[in-house]
Amino acid sequence: MRRVIWVPITSSSSIVAAPTPTLTRITRAVAPRLLSTTSASAPAARWEGGVSLVQGASRGIGLEFAKQLLEKNEKGQVVATCRNPDGATGLLDLKIKFGDRLNILQLDLTNEKTIEASAKSVRENYGSMNLLINASGILSIPNVMQPETTLSKVEKSALMLAYEVNAAGPILVIKHMWPLLKAGGGMGTKRDVAVVANLSARVGSIGDNHLGGWHAYRSSKTALNQLTKTVSVEFGRKKDPITCILLHPGTVDTDLSRPFQRNLPKEKLFTKEFSVQKLLNIINNAKSSDNGKFFAWDGQEIPW
């Protein structure tokens, strides 16, 4: 099964219209979490606690991101996307627990129309966004692709699939969420900027590559790094209130890494809870000066 996560709306928040002054007073009295309201073309909606979107949230690290965002920020709104929301039992359990604070959308990284539809839904329901986490990724699929231990095992189909999901897909998500991130900035959060956090991997670093192999996965993460860096340069040049960073979560005990854990020292295999806690600490403390940087789970910068 492809390890990617993307989702018709199973639930949604009320659509917010631009208020009159009287309606604004009523809204603030009745719903304190909404500091001001808007459509995407007017001043952006400002939600106390912020609006976060986790792309790739049906399992593994993505699901843990959604869980911790809901648990640690009692006023924050979370949009979780995956390919098949009806089968995302972990997200459905969170929906029961957190109700309207969690909105589940269908999004398939290989289908740009679903990305565009998700952006439209977020715009209609919230008007802005303060955090985008691209958590999806693929490493191996039985009978389809496996990490290559030698050049002779490289196949074009695996290279293209890895690039589509691990690199092109996340950048297309940023493309369609960009206006929402600009509208949101850091409003409603303790940051002064919105954050885009793309989950990369240390093996994507060219400067840190001493072992070779894993051609499709390694090169697709390298492509993600370059695309993210390029996006960050544009954000900086246009003075958008967005910081775009790359994160290496370490080797985490998930379905993605499980087939390759045999020779890994126990102390180097992290739980999802530990890794996401560390990554959220980096995200929550991100500043405009961090734009375009590549961080490991412990906050150390990784060479390109």
Side-chain angles (χ1 to χ4, degrees), residues 6-9 80-85 91 104-108 118:
W6 308 302
V7 239
I9 304 175
T81 76
C82 62
R83 285 185 302 163
N84 178 23
L91 281 179
I104 306 173
L105 302 178
Q106 195 274 333
L107 190 156
D108 184 337
S118 293

Side-chain angles (χ1 to χ4, degrees), residues 166-180:
N166 293 341
I171 298 305
L172 290 175
V173 174
I174 299 174
K175 167 189 169 183
H176 288 285
M177 304 300 171
W178 183 16
L180 294 160

Side-chain angles (χ1 to χ4, degrees), residues 44-288:
R46 309 300 186 188
W47 296 81
E48 185 179 355
V51 179
S52 303
L53 187 147
V54 182
Q55 181 277 119
S58 68
R59 68 174 76 185
I61 293 177
L63 178 60
E64 185 62 26
F65 265 118
K67 179 174 180 288
Q68 290 197 27
L69 284 167
L70 289 163
E71 290 177 342
K72 295 183 177 184
N73 182 355
E74 62 182 18
K75 295 180 180 179
Q77 306 293 307
V78 175
V79 180
T81 76
C82 62
R83 285 185 302 163
N84 178 23
D86 291 337
T89 56
L91 281 179
L92 296 176
D93 289 342
L94 289 179
K95 180 65 180 176
I96 293 171
K97 182 176 180 179
F98 293 98
D100 288 344
R101 289 184 53 220
L102 175 63
N103 189 359
I104 306 173
L105 302 178
Q106 195 274 333
L107 190 156
D108 184 337
L109 284 183
T110 65
N111 184 343
E112 190 171 359
K113 288 184 178 180
T114 68
I115 301 174
E116 189 173 7
S118 293
K120 179 181 179 182
S121 178
V122 174
R123 182 175 66 250
E124 291 174 344
N125 284 285
Y126 306 99
S128 64
M129 185 188 303
N130 312 99
L131 172 62
L132 168 61
I133 299 173
N134 277 307
S136 291
I138 55 171
L139 172 58
S140 65
I141 303 174
N143 303 316
V144 175
M145 62 181 295
Q146 291 291 326
E148 310 91 344
T149 56
T150 175
L151 177 62
S152 63
K153 293 185 178 181
V154 171
E155 295 183 358
K156 180 181 178 180
S157 59
L159 289 168
M160 299 307 293
L161 179 58
Y163 185 88
E164 182 178 31
V165 174
N166 293 341
I171 298 305
L172 290 175
V173 174
I174 299 174
K175 167 189 169 183
H176 288 285
M177 304 300 171
W178 183 16
L180 294 160
L181 291 159
K182 286 197 292 185
M187 294 297 293
T189 75
K190 296 180 180 179
R191 301 185 304 268
D192 62 352
V193 290
V195 173
V196 174
N198 288 338
L199 261 63
S200 185
R202 187 179 292 274
V203 296
S205 166
I206 295 175
D208 193 61
N209 183 359
H210 305 292
L211 297 176
W214 289 37
H215 295 74
Y217 185 73
R218 189 188 292 275
S219 61
S220 65
K221 288 298 186 179
T222 303
L224 174 66
N225 294 352
Q226 180 68 286
L227 288 165
T228 305
K229 178 67 175 181
T230 302
V231 167
S232 75
V233 171
E234 182 170 358
F235 288 169
R237 186 174 65 246
K238 294 183 176 179
K239 301 188 184 303
D240 290 340
I242 308 169
T243 287
C244 198
I245 60 176
L246 290 148
L247 298 175
H248 166 58
T251 302
V252 184
D253 187 13
T254 64
D255 291 343
L256 184 143
S257 69
R258 199 154 291 133
F260 313 101
Q261 296 176 6
R262 184 175 56 186
N263 297 321
L264 190 72
K266 187 175 181 180
E267 66 274 11
K268 292 188 176 182
L269 180 64
F270 301 152
T271 65
K272 299 184 293 291
E273 293 80 5
F274 174 84
S275 179
V276 168
Q277 179 184 359
K278 291 292 187 179
L279 297 180
L280 278 178
N281 184 59
I282 296 171
I283 290 170
N284 290 334
N285 288 286
K287 306 177 293 295
S288 56

